[in-house]
Amino acid sequence: MAQQVPSAHRQKIAVIGAGISGLASAYLLNRKHDVCLFEAGDYLGGHSNTVDISVNGISHPVDTGFLVLNDKTYPNLVALLAELGVATYSTDMSFGVSMDEGQLEWAGTNLDAVFAQRRNLCSPRFWGMLKDILRFNKAAYVNLARAGNRGETLGQLLDAGGYGQLFREAYLLPMAAAIWSSSPKDILGFPALTFLRFCINHSLLQVNGRPQWQTVQGGSRSYVQRIAATLPDIRLNTPVLGVRRDANGVRVLTASGESRFDIVVFAGHAPDTLSILEDASPAEQKLLSAVRYQPNTAYLHLDERQLPRNKKVWSAWNYLGGAAVDGQRPVCVSYLLNQLQNLPFENPVVVTLNPFKKPDLVIAQFEYQHPIMDQPAIDAQLRLPQLQGRNRTWFAGAWTGYGFHEDGLKSALRVAADFDVLPAWAQL
């Protein structure tokens, strides 16, 4: 299975999947080649899913998946938005925790929010958690070196460091589970090296000097629409049923029949790619089957009961959990969109992932999937460069990085580099 060298001539390229990875791949490759973008769903964007809602006679777009970016850790996305002429504005990224139906609630916004429940001023356990937070943050680089040498999981690192139960249950696991939309059990199984590197890169373990977060003006569909306007061949509602490669090209099978291409770029979830790749090599099977996903049900709603009971704790991100919750249960987190986006509504507009009880006043329901960045997934990432470009095939997706929007875009940029269409602003 020899590595394919992209031709200098225009080629027919199939891009499968229209999230950020597929959109960016198609946008860049289309500059020199004839690209066809396939999407199984009825909209472009994947997690960039903006919907229009009406509340008390006022209509406005809101985002339900991808929400925020910043200059420091999303440099490629910032540059892409600038190229497309899409504006952003500053937003809030506060984080609150509500445990056991409000028995313990706190947020990191300020001291009033930290001690929103005044009884915690006299709680040795709560003060122990705060001390553990400071100790964990201070030891970040020491722990990073330790994790690199020992290959520990996050759970093993916490055990070795003697970090308390409340620190885990009411701070670190809620924060991590909300970021990755993964269960606490999966979070504890993450490689400590990957976890710490991400937190350090995103300035999550420091009080001062954090980047200013931004959200997209008009919703994330603004950039999706700008990209779509450049693409001549988009096929929505067109699930790819099978892909098979041969010496002369690539066969892509849909319900409408077969289409022939010179190259295929898979830009969807790894398991989905494996399910349609009919002639996957043993190496491709091993790679794609190593990446697991966490399904998450998201409700867009107006139910205040899906937020902390104490309004002082209301934050942009709100983790809802409890000691009795099975560690394998998907994370429950409520995003208060009024704090994340400039919305004209007085009512709280909320997106809740995996609520314990279905919210009242539901506006819409969505099914999202997020990659679980455990050790097998990290190992698969290391093997990916050996497969790129072999047998007329490239792979892209957020699963090739930390699982976020910037990672999906960066994977598309790596594909673009192989075809000599890498933009000058790219940072790989």
Side-chain angles (χ1 to χ4, degrees):
M1 190 169 63
Q3 185 165 11
Q4 185 80 12
V5 178
S7 170
H9 302 292
R10 293 190 74 87
Q11 297 187 89
K12 292 185 63 179
I13 302 178
V15 177
I16 301 173
I20 178 64
S21 307
L23 283 170
S25 295
Y27 172 66
L28 296 168
L29 293 173
N30 191 61
R31 296 174 178 182
K32 290 188 177 181
H33 302 280
D34 299 320
V35 176
C36 176
L37 179 62
F38 292 89
E39 169 54 42
D42 60 2
Y43 72 96
L44 300 174
H47 287 203
S48 293
N49 187 9
T50 310
V51 298
D52 292 306
I53 67 170
S54 294
V55 180
N56 295 328
I58 300 174
S59 297
H60 199 270
V62 301
D63 277 320
T64 64
F66 165 69
L67 292 164
V68 292
L69 66 150
N70 66 65
D71 290 346
K72 180 180 178 182
T73 53
Y74 290 72
N76 290 302
L77 186 55
V78 168
L80 174 63
L81 295 180
E83 178 174 296
L84 295 170
V86 175
T88 63
Y89 58 88
S90 298
T91 189
D92 169 43
M93 272 291 285
S94 55
F95 183 65
V97 175
S98 179
M99 305 290 290
D100 298 318
E101 298 184 337
Q103 292 300 305
L104 173 66
E105 292 190 336
W106 76 284
T109 313
N110 50 46
L111 280 176
D112 191 33
V114 171
F115 293 103
Q117 294 174 318
R118 295 298 190 249
R119 64 177 179 269
N120 288 331
L121 283 164
C122 303
S123 168
R125 278 190 84 219
F126 193 82
W127 279 104
M129 178 191 76
L130 297 180
K131 290 178 181 177
D132 274 346
I133 292 173
L134 295 175
R135 182 164 66 94
F136 185 79
N137 293 356
K138 185 178 180 180
Y141 285 98
V142 173
N143 285 335
L144 184 70
R146 171 196 172 102
N149 291 330
R150 302 191 182 187
E152 292 175 313
T153 65
L154 179 59
Q156 290 169 336
L157 179 73
L158 296 178
D159 289 341
Y163 292 97
Q165 198 66 25
L166 196 63
F167 166 80
R168 302 180 190 213
E169 293 180 354
Y171 171 68
L172 193 67
L173 291 180
M175 178 181 71
I179 290 171
W180 275 281
S181 303
S182 297
S183 71
K185 181 184 179 190
D186 283 327
I187 293 295
L188 289 171
F190 277 19
L193 181 67
T194 301
F195 177 86
L196 290 167
R197 188 179 288 148
F198 175 86
C199 289
I200 291 170
N201 290 344
H202 284 69
S203 304
L204 296 177
L205 304 181
Q206 61 192 58
V207 176
N208 299 315
R210 293 189 174 185
Q212 174 62 58
W213 289 89
Q214 305 280 324
T215 194
V216 179
Q217 187 76 42
S220 57
R221 71 179 175 196
S222 298
Y223 89 78
V224 173
Q225 292 170 343
R226 297 285 176 91
I227 289 178
T230 71
L231 303 177
D233 194 352
I234 297 173
R235 303 185 189 183
L236 281 174
N237 297 302
T238 308
V240 172
L241 305 177
V243 174
R244 180 171 289 276
R245 295 134 332 161
D246 56 41
N248 298 315
V250 180
R251 182 204 71 167
V252 175
L253 176 65
T254 69
S256 301
E258 288 187 10
S259 300
R260 296 285 301 185
F261 297 90
D262 301 305
I263 297 290
V264 62
V265 177
F266 288 102
H269 300 324
D272 296 338
T273 295
L274 183 57
S275 70
I276 61 175
L277 186 51
E278 297 176 355
D279 57 350
S281 69
E284 289 170 333
Q285 291 176 358
K286 182 180 179 181
L287 176 87
L288 297 169
S289 63
V291 185
R292 296 186 297 132
Y293 281 73
Q294 170 68 59
N296 293 292
T297 300
Y299 292 92
L300 175 63
H301 63 87
L302 308 175
D303 188 352
E304 292 187 15
R305 293 177 303 171
Q306 299 294 333
L307 294 168
R309 298 191 177 186
N310 190 324
K311 289 190 177 182
K312 288 184 178 180
V313 180
W314 283 14
S315 303
W317 295 22
N318 303 273
Y319 175 89
L320 309 177
V325 175
D326 181 355
Q328 299 185 53
R329 185 191 185 281
V331 60
C332 177
V333 59
S334 286
Y335 303 90
L336 182 54
L337 299 185
N338 308 65
Q339 291 195 24
L340 286 161
Q341 300 182 283
N342 289 339
L343 303 183
F345 310 121
E346 293 184 9
N347 308 66
V349 180
V350 185
V351 169
T352 299
L353 293 186
N354 312 313
F356 296 95
K357 180 182 178 182
K358 183 178 177 179
D360 290 335
L361 304 173
V362 172
I363 299 171
Q365 178 180 339
F366 309 96
E367 302 297 328
Y368 295 121
Q369 292 197 24
H370 299 84
I372 298 171
M373 306 317 298
D374 55 13
Q375 193 61 55
I378 301 302
D379 293 341
Q381 292 174 1
L382 297 176
R383 296 194 302 270
L384 179 59
Q386 302 167 19
L387 295 181
Q388 291 287 46
R390 295 189 178 276
N391 205 9
R392 302 177 176 273
T393 305
W394 275 260
F395 301 95
W399 60 271
T400 65
Y402 291 110
F404 298 98
H405 229 61
E406 178 76 3
D407 302 298
L409 174 53
K410 190 177 288 188
S411 73
L413 292 171
R414 293 193 185 102
V415 173
D418 285 349
F419 287 82
D420 196 28
V421 290
L422 187 68
W425 47 256
Q427 296 185 32
L428 296 180

